[in-house]
Amino acid sequence: MGLLGGSVARSIRRTVPGVHVVGVVRCAEKGQRWIELGIIDSVAESIEQGCQDVDVVVVATPVDLVAASVIRAAEVSQADCLITDVGSTKRTIVQAVLRDAGASAKFVAAHPIAGSEKTGAEHATADLFVGKVIVLTPSEQTPKRQLDLADHFWRRTGGRIVTLSPEDHDTHLASVSHVPHLASSAVAKLINQDSANLVGSGWLDITRVAAGDPAMWLAICQENRTAIDEQLAHLAGSIEDLRAWIRTHDDASLLRWLKEAKTIRDSF
Amino acid sequence: MGLLGGSVARSIRRTVPGVHVVGVVRCAEKGQRWIELGIIDSVAESIEQGCQDVDVVVVATPVDLVAASVIRAAEVSQADCLITDVGSTKRTIVQAVLRDAGASAKFVAAHPIAGSEKTGAEHATADLFVGKVIVLTPSEQTPKRQLDLADHFWRRTGGRIVTLSPEDHDTHLASVSHVPHLASSAVAKLINQDSANLVGSGWLDITRVAAGDPAMWLAICQENRTAIDEQLAHLAGSIEDLRAWIRTHDDASLLRWLKEAKTIRDSF
C-alpha cells in the first residue's frame, strides 16, 4: 500500500459502487490510517489472509518483490481471481511468474505510467490514472479471459490501455523513464555548495524525480539491466558528441542537435 | 524585447510609478503590439534612437550580442546612465566590455535566474523575478556608484541580489543550468516512435527546458565552453559509474548514489 496501490484503491472505490477493498499491509497501525483516510475498507496483514475471497489482487510492491507476491496470491486465491501488478519493469516479472503454471493462469502484468516522486498511500489520489497510459504485457500463456478482465479492471481507473510484449515494454521504458530518471539524479549531483542558491525552475523540473525512492529505483535497475545499459550508452554517446562539438567549435552540429531535441519536446 | 526584456519592462512599470519604458525592437509592428499589450510605452528601432535620454538600459539580447550592444549603448547614452543585461553567461561579456573604458564605466553585468522555455515578450509577466536570485557580476573596474544603481534597479523587479565574480558565475551556472539543459535535451533524444506514447510526468518535467530556443542555448554554449565541457565530463563520469555498477551488479554503490541524489534534491 504505497502511492500506486493506494491510488488504485481510491480510483476503484470511486468508479465501482459497492466494492470492498482490502489493503494488505505489514503495519496494522498504518492500515487503520488508510481506513480512516477512506483509501481501503479493511486490512489484512498477509497475502494469505487478504487474497482468499477477492475477485482482483493488485500487487503494488517494489518490482523485485512482485513475482513472489503474485505466486503467493495465486496459491491462496479463488480459481477465477485476476492478479495484476503496477511494476515499472515487466520482463523478469513475467518470466518468473511463467515458471508457475497456477500463477500464469491468473496473472496479467500491468504498468500504469503514472506516479510521483512522493511516496506513501497518504499521497494517493483517485484520479492518478485518469487519461494515463496503462501498459498490459501479457505472455503467450496469458488466458484471453484474464486479459479481458485486466482490460476491464484497469479501464475503471480512467487509464488508456496499451498492450505490449514484456520485452518491448522494458526496452521502451528504459528510454523514456528509467534512464531519464538516472540522468535526473546525475544532474542533481552536479551541484555544489556554492551553486546551490543559483538553481532556477529548469533545474527544479529536471531533478524533480531524483527525489524518488532509491530502493524502488535500485530494484528497477536490477530488473532491467540490459535495456538500461543500452540507453545509458546512447546518453553517453550524446554527451561525447556535445563535448567534441563544444571543444572544436562545431556550432552547426550543436545547433542541429538542439533543434532536433526541441522538435521532439515540442511534439508533446 | 523577448521574454526577459518584456518581463523587466512589466515589473519596472509595476513598481516604479511614472516610469517611461522604451522598447528597442527590430520590427516596428511587434513594437506596436508590445505597446498595446502594456509592456512598453514607446518604441525605438535602434540602440542610438532608444538609448539617448534614458536612465537605465537593459540589454536583453542573446548572450553573443550583449557586449556589442552594451558598447553601442554606452556611446550614445548620458554620462550617468546605468547599463545592465540579463545574459545567462557573464565572463566573456564582462571581458569584452572591459576592453571599452566608456562602456565599463556604465555597465553592471546581471543575470536574473528566471525564465521559461517560452519565448517572446507576449509571455512576459510582471512577477517573473519576484523572489528569484539576480546575480550581479561586477568587474574590478565597475564604479561603486553603478553597482549601487544596479542593486537598486534590480531590487525593483522583486529579485534577491547575489554578487559573484563573472568566472564563478559561469562555473556555477554550467553545473546548475547549462549542462542540466543539455542533459534535458539528450534525454529528449532517447525517445523513439514506439516509446513516444509511454512518456509520463517525469519525462515531461525532465525534458521541459529542451523546448527552449536552440539559438539562445547555442550562444550560451559558445560563451561558456570551458566550464560546460568540465561539467559534461562530470556527467559522463556519472554515467560510466552507473553502467559499471549495473553491469557488475554493484547494487550497494548504485543505491548509495541514488540516495545521495535524493538527499540533494530533498534539500530544495
Side-chain angles (χ1 to χ4, degrees), chain A residues 133 172 189 194 197 204-205 207-208 210-211 222 225 229 239 243 246 249 251 257 260 262 265, chain B residues 133 172 189 194 197-198 204-205 207-208 210-211 222 225 229 239 243 246 249 251 257 260 262 265:
Chain A
V133 165
H172 297 331
K189 288 179 66 83
D194 295 326
N197 69 339
L204 292 171
D205 280 354
T207 59
R208 182 177 61 80
Q222 291 169 328
R225 292 183 196 276
D229 188 48
I239 292 170
R243 295 189 68 194
I246 285 169
H249 295 222
D251 298 335
W257 186 93
E260 287 165 1
K262 177 177 170 56
R265 187 57 180 83
Chain B
V133 166
H172 297 331
K189 288 179 66 82
D194 295 325
N197 68 340
L198 302 176
L204 292 171
D205 280 352
T207 59
R208 180 178 63 80
Q222 290 169 328
R225 292 182 196 279
D229 187 48
I239 292 170
R243 295 188 69 194
I246 285 170
H249 295 222
D251 299 335
W257 185 92
E260 286 165 2
K262 177 176 168 58
R265 186 57 180 83

Side-chain angles (χ1 to χ4, degrees), chain A residues 51-55 73-74 76-82 106:
Chain A
C51 299
Q52 278 178 24
D53 301 310
V54 299
D55 300 303
V76 300
S77 58
Q78 305 172 132
D80 57 354
C81 180
L82 166 68
K106 293 178 175 177

Side-chain angles (χ1 to χ4, degrees), chain A residues 75-123:
Chain A
E75 287 165 1
V76 300
S77 58
Q78 305 172 132
D80 57 354
C81 180
L82 166 68
I83 305 177
T84 185
D85 77 321
V86 301
S88 302
T89 63
K90 297 272 71 93
R91 193 178 56 85
T92 58
I93 290 171
V94 170
Q95 283 179 344
V97 172
L98 266 177
R99 288 194 283 273
D100 185 300
S104 292
K106 293 178 175 177
F107 181 55
V108 180
H111 176 202
I113 314 271
S116 165
E117 75 282 6
K118 291 175 186 156
T119 55
E122 63 269 33
H123 296 116

Side-chain angles (χ1 to χ4, degrees), chain A residues 5-19:
Chain A
S7 295
V8 173
R10 279 201 187 279
S11 63
I12 292 296
R13 288 186 95 204
R14 185 171 68 172
T15 58
V16 181
V19 72

